[in-house]
Amino acid sequence: MIAYDFAPATSKSLDELQTEVFVLPFFSDERPLSGAAGLVDWRLCGALSRKVMAGYLEGHFGEKAFVAAPPKLKSEALLLFGLGPSTAFDPVVAEKASAAIAEALADAQVSTAAIALPGRSMDLLPALQAMQLWLATSPGEALEEVTIVERPEEHRALESLVDGLRRQAESPLD
């Protein structure tokens, strides 16, 4: 089973986060970038915003861009994932986005990732529901550790969800 950890969505915690890939979902109409993507963009002095403004990234659903992370971050790469327009976002889109992100991580044979869950940057989905949709995906066998980047007040509920699933999987009654 994948080991889950939780990190607050703050500049300091993102600077200290060591992982192979940092997944940053964003909407096509999310300007400026917000949530974890906005924090990373700020840390990179607007480098992500410049890519968006230049048309290299649009944010249409399923758009993926792997970007080498600069030395300012301890992640090896960033995976920017387009969610489409925020007005079309719902649990079905979130589920498809989670599955596509998991597939991209599996294809890249990533073993450690930090993920900002789809829809959370604009609070379009409750954290618990976003986490349930993520956990319903099959992120591949290579993925060993995942850090969920989320507001600290959401950590307890998310940890309880993961712990409950872990206990259920380890139960001798099955």
Side-chain angles (χ1 to χ4, degrees):
M1 184 170 188
I2 297 171
Y4 282 93
D5 193 15
F6 300 90
T10 64
S11 294
K12 183 179 179 187
S13 71
L14 300 185
D15 282 349
E16 296 171 358
L17 200 57
Q18 289 187 313
T19 186
E20 287 176 71
V21 176
F22 195 160
V23 181
L24 301 168
F26 70 103
F27 293 99
S28 60
D29 56 351
E30 183 180 6
R31 306 294 183 269
L33 297 174
S34 58
L39 287 171
V40 170
D41 188 38
W42 178 82
R43 185 68 178 102
L44 302 179
C45 301
L48 301 180
S49 290
R50 286 192 297 279
K51 289 186 181 306
V52 170
M53 291 185 318
Y56 295 119
L57 295 170
E58 296 176 2
H60 59 80
F61 184 82
E63 177 183 30
K64 295 180 283 260
F66 274 97
V67 178
K72 291 179 180 180
L73 299 174
K74 294 181 181 177
S75 295
E76 296 172 23
L78 306 175
L79 168 58
L80 296 145
F81 186 86
L83 296 172
S86 61
T87 54
F89 190 80
D90 61 17
V92 172
V93 174
E95 184 176 24
K96 289 178 183 176
S98 292
I101 290 167
E103 182 179 336
L105 294 173
D107 289 348
Q109 297 182 337
V110 170
S111 63
T112 64
I115 300 172
L117 296 170
R120 294 298 299 144
S121 64
M122 295 177 69
D123 286 325
L124 297 180
L125 203 61
L128 195 56
Q129 186 177 15
M131 186 70 187
Q132 288 169 328
L133 292 171
W134 168 257
L135 290 170
T137 66
S138 304
E141 295 178 17
L143 195 56
E144 297 171 6
E145 296 176 23
V146 173
T147 300
I148 302 296
V149 178
E150 183 57 67
R151 285 180 294 215
E153 60 267 20
E154 302 289 354
H155 289 189
R156 180 175 284 181
L158 299 180
E159 288 170 351
S160 293
L161 174 65
V162 171
D163 287 344
L165 290 173
R166 184 176 294 118
R167 282 192 300 274
Q168 186 179 26
E170 294 171 353
S171 172
L173 299 176
D174 291 333

